[in-house]
Amino acid sequence: MTYKYDFLIIGAGIAGMSYALKVAKAKKGKVCIICKTTLDEANTRFAQGGVASVTNLELDNFDKHIHDTIVAGDYVNDVEAVKQVVTKAPEQIKALVEWGTNFDKKSNGDYDLHREGGHSEFRILHHADDTGAEIQRALMAAVRANPDIEIKENHFAVEIITQHHLGARVTRRSPYIYCYGAYVLNPENKVDTYLSRVTVMCTGGCGAVYQTTTNPVIATGDGEAMVYRAKGTVKDMEFVQFHPTSLYHPGETHPAYLITEAMRGYGGILKLPNGEAFMKKYDERGSLAPRDIVARAIDKEMKKNGIDHVYLDVTHKDAEETKHHFPNIYKKCLSIGIDITKEMIPVRPAAHYMCGGIKVDLNGCSSIERLYAIGECSCTGLHGGNRLASNSLIEAVVYADAAAKHSIEHVDDYDFNDKVPAWNDEGTLTNEEHVLITQANKEVGEIMSNYVGIVRSDLRLKRAWDRLDLLYEETESLFKRVKISRDLCELRNMINVGYLITRMAIERKECRGLHYTIDYPLHAYDKK
């Protein structure tokens, strides 16, 4: 089957849904959201902490937020991108509220602002400890209520369509690569052709390439992999952020339950099993240091002491206040026998956020014509080498707005390409091949966690490269001869993303932001 939409949106988190609402309002054509599972299963839903925006002008200002973002990003940031997100954040907060998002307020009506690691002021808007879920709820209601937005749940984008599919040779040196839509696997395991005038990639993160992640199991880096295979520009993939404090509960790995950074902002202290607070040894800010420093410190203490987790202690705080601020964390921990008002919380780092991705400009335009990328799968330059806490949700909605304005202005410049051929859907998939896919999936997680994790070295990266190369050859061979399935496509994407993270880590000959290697201990610009 062939479908035609003026705006084809691949992904359904905060970026995809806010973009859809903005272009639908413009009445410039048909809008379709492709969602690989259901609308409510997105990385957005798992964001606990909140949304960063300057709202208290008596204590805070844009310059402070810009400075905090660049310091956390280890000065790798695109300064113009930082300025755009920070200065446009307040108006996009208003948009989220207009779509039905509820942020917690004080009795006087002001926002109840939190402070998180790396922030110099209280500027985090939140909804208890489930802000992402609240935003997702509001956006889902708004999208479902909009008759101009069509939602295709349980549909999986296999590849974006470029002139390569028309027989033209496409290379990374080609002056222009054009996107004409996407091939999409439907729930009946048939691949349909979706032609579009504008395509928007907002597929979220890629945490599932690691053994333990705060992301859902569907976070397999689909957007980055598709764009890379289409010869688009992908950047800064070495900067993988590990959240320092996922709940240590063996068996829960995709996702591992997130213990929000706001709990450290609230006064939580990281401790060893013997009760010793250890973060001051690594940073004067203690438990409020930026995530990369905290994650490395925990990793080092775990290895040094031969333990598989440390603890986050809030037992010194008022019990009722703790339960009020963190009701979901309290409930979750209680379900596994831990009363956080009386006992310390077992935590360990987990893969959390990709700071790199599909390279885009200030309008969200990728290097491929007619293709935009927004949200976690994109690399705007905002985060640099390390994402400042709670900057990701606001980045997604700010760039959704920028991409919507730009694409609305240009959509009439593009036509549908009716010469695109149908997908070749031959072959069969046996139970034996399913076993191979499952095993290869586990291997990718082991390779990435063991060799391309929080602390890296040339030797580890080379070993990852060699093993991923073998998996790549095996998987591509399988892909060419068997009937397509979502599991096989996700494995293929994970291998591509693992390769990109590893290659870019090998190329960066310095410790910078989230990329920490024992072979290059100093910034390149520090070496004399």
Side-chain angles (χ1 to χ4, degrees):
M1 290 284 292
T2 299
Y3 300 90
K4 290 184 178 181
Y5 293 95
D6 299 277
F7 301 92
L8 179 64
I9 303 161
I10 304 173
I14 183 174
M17 288 196 287
S18 55
Y19 175 89
L21 289 166
K22 288 173 182 288
V23 294
K25 185 178 181 180
K27 304 287 186 182
K28 293 283 285 186
K30 294 173 65 178
V31 181
C32 178
I33 296 177
I34 299 293
C35 181
K36 74 187 280 188
T37 54
T38 56
L39 203 56
D40 65 340
E41 189 174 5
N43 269 6
T44 299
R45 182 165 67 91
F46 296 92
Q48 291 178 342
V51 186
S53 176
V54 174
T55 55
N56 185 348
L57 294 177
E58 292 181 7
L59 299 174
D60 202 4
N61 59 55
F62 292 149
D63 287 341
K64 288 181 181 180
H65 192 179
I66 289 168
H67 177 263
D68 292 345
T69 300
I70 293 172
V71 170
D74 209 359
Y75 302 91
V76 188
N77 321 65
D78 181 323
V79 175
E80 292 307 311
V82 177
K83 289 178 179 177
Q84 172 164 291
V85 171
V86 169
T87 58
K88 294 185 180 297
E91 66 183 85
Q92 296 312 314
I93 292 294
K94 291 179 182 176
L96 289 173
V97 171
E98 288 171 2
W99 288 324
T101 303
N102 296 306
F103 294 113
D104 289 355
K105 293 185 176 181
K106 300 177 182 177
S107 57
N108 64 1
D110 292 340
Y111 285 120
D112 178 29
L113 302 175
H114 280 179
R115 180 185 172 193
E116 296 182 348
H119 288 272
S120 58
E121 299 292 349
F122 286 77
R123 66 169 69 98
I124 312 302
L125 293 89
H126 65 96
H127 179 271
D129 57 353
D130 62 349
T131 308
E134 168 62 14
I135 293 172
Q136 190 81 1
R137 177 205 61 77
L139 290 176
M140 283 194 300
V143 165
R144 291 193 190 281
N146 193 312
D148 295 321
I149 300 173
E150 190 170 347
I151 304 164
K152 296 287 187 83
E153 293 182 300
N154 297 302
H155 284 64
F156 180 81
V158 177
E159 297 285 14
I160 58 170
I161 300 168
T162 67
Q163 59 263 47
H164 164 75
H165 297 95
L166 303 174
R169 184 171 180 268
V170 176
T171 71
R172 295 188 201 285
R173 294 183 179 181
S174 298
Y176 295 106
I177 303 171
Y178 298 90
C179 178
Y180 301 118
Y183 289 117
V184 177
L185 187 68
N186 66 32
E188 288 74 46
N189 257 21
K190 300 290 184 182
V191 178
D192 296 318
T193 304
Y194 281 68
L195 300 179
S196 62
R197 294 200 284 170
V198 165
T199 304
V200 184
M201 195 68 74
C202 37
T203 52
C206 57
V209 304
Y210 287 90
Q211 282 180 308
T212 303
T213 176
T214 61
N215 297 176
V217 69
I218 62 170
T220 50
D222 305 323
E224 295 98 317
M226 281 188 277
V227 170
Y228 174 72
R229 289 195 297 266
K231 313 301 183 196
T233 301
V234 180
K235 189 174 185 288
D236 289 348
M237 295 288 286
E238 70 271 34
F239 296 130
V240 181
Q241 187 174 75
F242 287 78
H243 198 287
T245 55
S246 72
L247 178 64
Y248 176 71
H249 185 218
E252 289 188 4
T253 59
H254 291 72
Y257 190 81
L258 179 66
I259 304 298
T260 174
E261 188 142 6
M263 188 162 271
R264 287 186 283 124
Y266 167 71
I269 301 171
L270 287 161
K271 295 182 177 181
L272 295 174
N274 63 6
E276 177 192 346
F278 59 86
M279 274 307 304
K280 286 286 187 180
K281 292 189 294 184
Y282 298 95
D283 193 283
E284 63 183 12
R285 291 165 289 189
S287 294
L288 275 174
R291 291 179 179 180
D292 59 325
I293 295 172
V294 178
R296 283 198 298 273
I298 294 173
D299 182 71
K300 185 170 183 178
E301 290 293 332
M302 285 166 52
K303 290 173 179 173
K304 184 173 72 173
N305 292 285
I307 53 180
D308 47 21
H309 64 277
V310 296
Y311 289 93
L312 184 62
D313 186 7
V314 292
T315 59
H316 56 286
K317 302 291 288 187
D318 180 79
E320 293 306 312
E321 187 180 6
T322 297
K323 288 188 277 188
H324 170 73
H325 282 299
F326 307 104
N328 292 291
I329 293 175
Y330 176 76
K331 182 178 178 181
K332 171 65 179 178
C333 290
L334 206 59
S335 74
I336 60 172
I338 300 168
D339 183 342
I340 66 173
T341 66
K342 301 174 183 177
E343 303 167 87
M344 298 192 295
I345 307 167
V347 295
R348 64 175 296 162
H352 183 58
Y353 189 87
M354 170 52 70
C355 293
I358 303 160
K359 178 60 181 168
V360 297
D361 65 13
L362 293 173
N363 294 312
C365 297
S366 75
S367 63
I368 298 176
E369 296 287 315
R370 301 167 54 151
L371 178 70
Y372 296 79
I374 52 179
E376 188 175 349
C377 74
S378 71
C379 178
T380 65
L382 168 70
H383 307 302
N386 179 28
R387 177 177 71 101
L388 181 64
S390 292
N391 265 358
S392 54
L393 292 177
I394 198 61
E395 176 200 37
V397 71
V398 166
Y399 269 84
D401 181 67
K405 288 174 179 174
H406 190 269
S407 56
I408 288 166
E409 182 181 348
H410 291 280
V411 66
D412 292 335
D413 300 340
Y414 310 131
D415 294 319
F416 294 105
N417 192 325
D418 293 310
K419 296 179 181 179
V420 172
W423 181 268
N424 183 353
D425 201 20
E426 298 177 352
T428 59
L429 194 66
T430 68
N431 286 334
E432 180 184 351
E433 286 155 348
H434 272 298
V435 171
L436 293 175
I437 292 169
T438 301
Q439 184 57 37
N441 246 307
K442 292 179 181 177
E443 287 183 54
V444 172
E446 290 170 356
I447 291 166
M448 296 303 294
S449 294
N450 290 333
Y451 306 130
V452 201
I454 296 172
V455 177
R456 302 163 180 174
S457 70
D458 287 347
L459 180 61
R460 295 175 200 176
L461 294 173
K462 176 63 166 58
R463 183 166 292 185
W465 178 281
D466 292 340
R467 281 152 177 72
L468 286 169
D469 188 54
L470 179 61
L471 283 174
Y472 171 80
E473 295 296 338
E474 292 174 349
T475 304
E476 287 301 304
S477 174
L478 195 62
F479 185 80
K480 291 172 183 175
R481 66 181 175 82
V482 305
K483 187 175 179 62
I484 197 169
S485 70
R486 198 186 104 184
D487 288 345
L488 177 56
C489 290
E490 286 183 322
L491 171 61
R492 190 173 179 234
N493 291 341
M494 289 168 66
I495 292 170
N496 280 168
V497 167
Y499 158 78
L500 287 167
I501 295 169
T502 304
R503 190 194 80 191
M504 293 184 189
I506 289 171
E507 291 172 351
R508 186 171 285 280
K509 308 295 186 183
E510 60 175 348
C511 286
R512 199 69 178 269
L514 297 161
H515 174 66
Y516 186 84
T517 168
I518 61 175
D519 292 310
Y520 303 95
L522 299 175
H523 286 166
Y525 57 73
D526 287 336
K527 296 179 181 179
K528 302 297 182 184

